[in-house]
Amino acid sequence: MPNLQQLIENIYAELLPQLGAGKVADYIPELAKVNPRKFGIAVETIDGGSYFVGDAEESFSIQSISKVFGLTLALGKHGDALWRRVGREPSGSSFNSIVQLEHENGIPRNPFINAGAIVVCDAILAGHRPKEAIGEILRFVRQIADDDTIVIDPAVAQSEQKTGYRNFALANYMRSFGNLGHPPDLALGVYFHQCAISMTCRQLARAGFFLGNGGRMQNGFAVIPRERARRICALMLTCGHYDASGDFAFRVGLPGKSGVGGGILAVAPGEASVAVWSPGLNRYGNSELGTHALQLLAERTGWSVFG
Amino acid sequence: MPNLQQLIENIYAELLPQLGAGKVADYIPELAKVNPRKFGIAVETIDGGSYFVGDAEESFSIQSISKVFGLTLALGKHGDALWRRVGREPSGSSFNSIVQLEHENGIPRNPFINAGAIVVCDAILAGHRPKEAIGEILRFVRQIADDDTIVIDPAVAQSEQKTGYRNFALANYMRSFGNLGHPPDLALGVYFHQCAISMTCRQLARAGFFLGNGGRMQNGFAVIPRERARRICALMLTCGHYDASGDFAFRVGLPGKSGVGGGILAVAPGEASVAVWSPGLNRYGNSELGTHALQLLAERTGWSVFG
Amino acid sequence: MPNLQQLIENIYAELLPQLGAGKVADYIPELAKVNPRKFGIAVETIDGGSYFVGDAEESFSIQSISKVFGLTLALGKHGDALWRRVGREPSGSSFNSIVQLEHENGIPRNPFINAGAIVVCDAILAGHRPKEAIGEILRFVRQIADDDTIVIDPAVAQSEQKTGYRNFALANYMRSFGNLGHPPDLALGVYFHQCAISMTCRQLARAGFFLGNGGRMQNGFAVIPRERARRICALMLTCGHYDASGDFAFRVGLPGKSGVGGGILAVAPGEASVAVWSPGLNRYGNSELGTHALQLLAERTGWSVFG
Amino acid sequence: MPNLQQLIENIYAELLPQLGAGKVADYIPELAKVNPRKFGIAVETIDGGSYFVGDAEESFSIQSISKVFGLTLALGKHGDALWRRVGREPSGSSFNSIVQLEHENGIPRNPFINAGAIVVCDAILAGHRPKEAIGEILRFVRQIADDDTIVIDPAVAQSEQKTGYRNFALANYMRSFGNLGHPPDLALGVYFHQCAISMTCRQLARAGFFLGNGGRMQNGFAVIPRERARRICALMLTCGHYDASGDFAFRVGLPGKSGVGGGILAVAPGEASVAVWSPGLNRYGNSELGTHALQLLAERTGWSVFG
């Protein structure tokens, strides 16, 4: 793809007039402070290219995108046993719905809705102290991004800890069904800190590289087996955008995971890893401009997994 | 793929000991009569190869697989206006759930659950008589399969017409919300006949070829634009197996559509179109052996869309 | 209660300024034609008094109030066996909800939501032709009202037959669970005609007399045993106003059954039978003014069953 | 009722062979320790009679029965403003369902399901410390029972505090909708202690006396206005037995409130206040033998509110 840099610059320019579209997340007070006019794109191609445009080197709160990394880590620890505690199906509900849990005995539908990600954090915790589990997650993200400067924003973690009543509800609810091995406070401590990881688009694109490259990093290190990379991509495609996952697959055609911070990580298997960031969200809680950018990118590169 | 014939023969042989696994659908009396030990596989590769094994030349009731063809036809008639009447999201519910309709004003979640397919049939009807619409669907399927011997099994259509109370409920329910343009009886007449199309694995694999080939048939004829083929594949991946769509994507990694007759049509974009048939169903209503065969095939060919 | 006539005249006068409040039902086209400014009250006391005011001698469509009479008749035919097919619990949902049926295998929560009343009509049908069952219901209502002039309005029955898609959905849905013994069309034929019975407030108050009098009519004839009268009253109190039953019990404190025609039948056990009519409905589908009139009446007479 | 003592002794003797029926609640560990063969009945008639039989002078955990007293107290503090935060409708769901809260913006259906009672406790708290609110509730119960020996069992309160994850989920969930004025821990502290009040059948029957006596205690003191007593009785009848409220009204015909400790308080307006206790529960969580005893009592006394 010789003109990829030109291509993302064109997309950036085309979307610039819409800067500020969507609504910045305000349910986590700390997130509401972000500048709504930020917009960045970064691409790492499997063949070694590295491209970016706009605010691609500015850190933002990756929020739910971190669920992909947490899942990867937990699968490494527990293997398929993890699937006894969390499903692999689209939920058909919003990211923080509790209805499905009542109907299905406290087993969350998939690891990318909040309830599922809390279970995954509980699995990472595995008897250790929250501080240790948080450290483990951060080290893992630094490793796959090959960048030791990545940090967790404590103000964001505390902001969510103070106001995340709905997540406390989900955790306590699952605990009542025996699907949480630790006290809700501890599992949530891990969860809130995982969500509070700050990364730039460039770091994020590098961190997602292994998912598009059969499990291997740019330096050849095998993070996970090819089979597992494939399966995590499948989950991202069917469940990565909550109750707009079908629409994202329809419009973009790439495995992706969004966060309420306005970031999206998308993977074009065998082609590239892409990260976009624009804080304004659509009504499903996914970045408005980011989704649009990915749609244009997939159309123009032909990277859609659907041909 | 030089050894594809050998490959499907191996898969066939490996699964033979499990013949008869699963449970034949019995809610349509006529379907319950089928021999549970049938098993066939057919593959049409984009580069022109044609492979099959087992009962691949025996006709069976394609049932819900027909929804893919109905959708293609309806999109040709109405374009994106169709999406005002039916969604594009996984339902998170079983194929005949009515709950979601009550919560979302009679708009079905996607065109592959029963309610959605009934709306699609209503859209194909478009003021004509059911007989004409049924004829149009049959002609379309014969065209894309390039085979004029394909027929509708009237006994199956009548069997479902007599016992399909739940589909009558769905149709009347959507009509009460104004999301059905014709009397429920007429839309259902089309729907039951569409589901009653009989095809062999070989015919089905040929009929699905255009979806894996950017919208074009083997003879080069463009059935639909590439963009639309891609999007139909996206819907198959996220919604093609009801509330086991996530699991199918996870295990197989291909867009697919199952039917309660035991058939599955799977598409490997740029690679092949595959049809399998084995009447025994798993608890989600999808072919037990058929799913297994596709999983092995995807693993061994590397056709998964997820790398 | 020497001044009961005065009392209802006062209530009538007090509420007169609000004539026309609420919204006339329009989902059955024929009902939408009614004059919204009608208002009548009729009381039959157990000690033999007969009082009325306003439009109490004008016929209106009793609609769902007829479910009380249908239930009484069906219990006479089938006894407690009827409770295997329909529950006795408030539904917590609107009158035409289908969600509960999916979660509870086609058994309606109670005989006063539409689904439950359709099952009751199916039980009355009991192998006969709809015409006969309809005739039986009409004869029963004439008997308990001691008035052979009561008729069914065929225009209303046909109007609902033509537009009652949601009821067709409910009936087909229950049939799919095996909880309907006859084809949906037949059970619904009975149901629509039962709902289309036309009565005046005076006739209705007389027809409900036996419920407040231990099962006996004014002439001493025992329609049902005391125990059963008590139990039908219990059902009216907990389920008679759909998802506003709790509010009606809270405000009025009497067993009652409303209809979308704007009528309400209320029973004060040991005291009186009361019928009110005013076509404007509140947002739960119950007569706005009628509810208000009953609240004032219960307050001033002390007839609340709660002391 | 001259032979009321004889009557309850007969009922007691008749049911004795069924002692131990039902299943003792075990989700609160401390409650699981109770002797399943306890059985007591106490009646206080409005005309001054006092009757009891069996284990009527032994204390047990009144659990959800306390919600009636909490509601009475909260209505005294906040009046009808309380109804903006909690509904008055039967829920159609089990006592600890969270589904309804998601669909109705965190407003519980009624004050007798757990979520509703937690809101009521939050209203009693009203800015004070939990210890003060708990003290206020205990003083109120002692006052209406005219018995200063009534205590809260701290082991039961702590047992629920340690294991009540589902209640923590409900409280956090409502807090996320802004329908809890205090941190969930504080409101739940009040709630768990309120539920842990220990009373005998005799104390309970005396404490409920005012509800059957137009709001006045045996000594003539007006606890609440007659209107309010009536309305609390209405709520008990429609919502007092969770999703078996309809059945209790159908079989017993009296306003009542059950607790998982096996107690039931029933009120016959103008006649009596009745308390029964037998720890074995039916599948709805209400005392099996207690319900039966009340059914026989209502039949033989004619106290049903339905005539």
Side-chain angles (χ1 to χ4, degrees), chain C residues 80 83 88-93 104 109 211 226-227 229-235 237-239 242-253 255 269-270 295 298-299 302 304-307, chain D residues 80 83 88-93 104 109 211 226-227 229-235 237-239 242-253 255 269-270 295 298-299 302 304-307:
Chain C
D80 283 345
W83 302 120
R88 300 187 298 236
E89 289 301 323
S91 73
S93 310
E104 296 172 23
R109 270 292 172 93
L211 290 168
R226 171 176 293 275
E227 179 67 14
R230 200 184 271 154
R231 292 182 158 189
I232 293 172
C233 283
L235 284 164
L237 193 112
T238 54
C239 315
Y242 313 118
D243 47 342
S245 297
D247 193 61
F248 189 84
F250 186 89
R251 289 169 57 196
V252 178
Q295 181 173 359
E299 273 170 26
S304 164
V305 301
F306 301 115
Chain D
D80 284 344
W83 301 120
R88 298 187 299 234
E89 289 301 323
S91 73
S93 310
E104 296 172 25
R109 269 292 172 94
L211 291 169
R226 170 176 295 275
E227 179 66 13
R230 199 184 272 155
R231 292 183 157 188
I232 293 173
C233 283
L235 284 164
L237 193 113
T238 54
C239 314
Y242 311 120
D243 46 342
S245 297
D247 193 62
F248 189 84
F250 186 88
R251 289 169 58 194
V252 178
Q295 183 174 357
E299 273 170 26
S304 163
V305 301
F306 301 115

Side-chain angles (χ1 to χ4, degrees), chain A residues 208-246:
Chain A
F209 185 92
F210 75 100
L211 290 169
N213 190 36
R216 289 180 184 273
M217 290 172 56
Q218 281 159 312
N219 61 19
F221 179 78
V223 180
I224 49 172
R226 171 176 294 274
E227 179 67 14
R228 184 166 291 158
R230 201 184 272 154
R231 293 183 157 188
I232 293 173
C233 282
L235 284 164
M236 291 170 75
L237 193 113
T238 54
C239 314
H241 283 74
Y242 312 118
D243 46 342
S245 297

